[in-house]
């Protein structure tokens, strides 16, 4: 599942045409944090894929996916419409109300130090049963 998550991040990073150095660094950090080897990370950066059904993820995994994509969107200091659309579609596939993305983006951009546990509680309220 780590490779699928990283693939989604790579595809998001490529939405605006290229992966910036900051985006690649964050993708690598997330890959390492999830236990991927350097070879797996490089392979995913070069050959991202999406075959994983994100609707089957647990609530915790869904939050981790969403949190990661918002981190990636904000890492280069710019957010593109295509990135937001990509993330919105992914959130909907996971079973979230589309307003969840706005909640995550505003909290992640306005708060320098995020209380991830508190944010998780707020985000889970947007998960449709």
């Amino acid at each position: 599942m780590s490779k699928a998550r990283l693939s989604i991040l790579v595809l998001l990073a490529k939405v605006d045409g290229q992966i910036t150095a900051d985006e690649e660094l964050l993708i690598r950090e997330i890959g390492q944090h999830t236990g991927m080897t350097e070879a797996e990370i490089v392979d995913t950066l070069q050959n991202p894929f999406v075959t994983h059904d994100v609707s089957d993820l647990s609530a915790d995994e869904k939050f981790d996916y969403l949190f990661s994509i918002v981190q990636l969107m904000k890492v280069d200091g710019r957010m593109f419409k295509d990135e937001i659309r990509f993330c919105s579609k992914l959130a909907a596939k996971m079973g979230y109300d589309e307003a969840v993305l706005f909640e995550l983006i505003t909290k992640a951009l306005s708060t320098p130090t995020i209380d991830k546990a508190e944010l998780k509680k707020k985000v889970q309220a947007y998960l449709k049963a």
Side-chain angles (χ1 to χ4, degrees), residues 92-104:
K93 285 180 182 179
M94 285 190 272
Y96 283 100
D97 183 285
E98 289 185 23
V100 72
L101 199 57
F102 179 75
E103 178 79 23
L104 270 169

Side-chain angles (χ1 to χ4, degrees), residues 50-93:
V50 179
T51 59
H52 184 69
D53 183 4
V54 292
S55 66
D56 291 339
L57 298 171
S58 70
D60 288 341
E61 291 169 324
K62 289 176 183 182
F63 172 77
D64 288 340
Y65 267 59
L66 279 179
F67 189 78
S68 296
I69 63 175
V70 170
Q71 280 184 308
L72 187 65
M73 274 198 305
K74 75 174 202 156
V75 76
D76 63 2
R78 300 173 302 178
M79 281 200 238
F80 296 94
K81 288 180 186 177
D82 289 341
E83 289 176 328
I84 295 170
R85 265 189 239 116
F86 180 97
C87 294
S88 185
K89 287 179 185 177
L90 182 62
K93 285 180 182 179

Side-chain angles (χ1 to χ4, degrees), residues 87-127:
C87 294
S88 185
K89 287 179 185 177
L90 182 62
K93 285 180 182 179
M94 285 190 272
Y96 283 100
D97 183 285
E98 289 185 23
V100 72
L101 199 57
F102 179 75
E103 178 79 23
L104 270 169
I105 290 171
T106 56
K107 297 293 186 218
L109 291 177
S110 64
T111 311
T113 56
I114 299 170
D115 181 352
K116 197 171 175 182
E118 181 66 28
L119 183 60
K120 186 177 188 176
K121 286 180 192 175
K122 289 181 181 185
V123 167
Q124 298 306 47
Y126 291 92
L127 192 56

Side-chain angles (χ1 to χ4, degrees), residues 40-53:
E40 290 172 321
I41 294 169
V42 169
D43 182 52
T44 306
L45 282 164
Q46 294 171 350
N47 305 300
F49 70 96
V50 179
T51 59
H52 184 69
D53 183 4

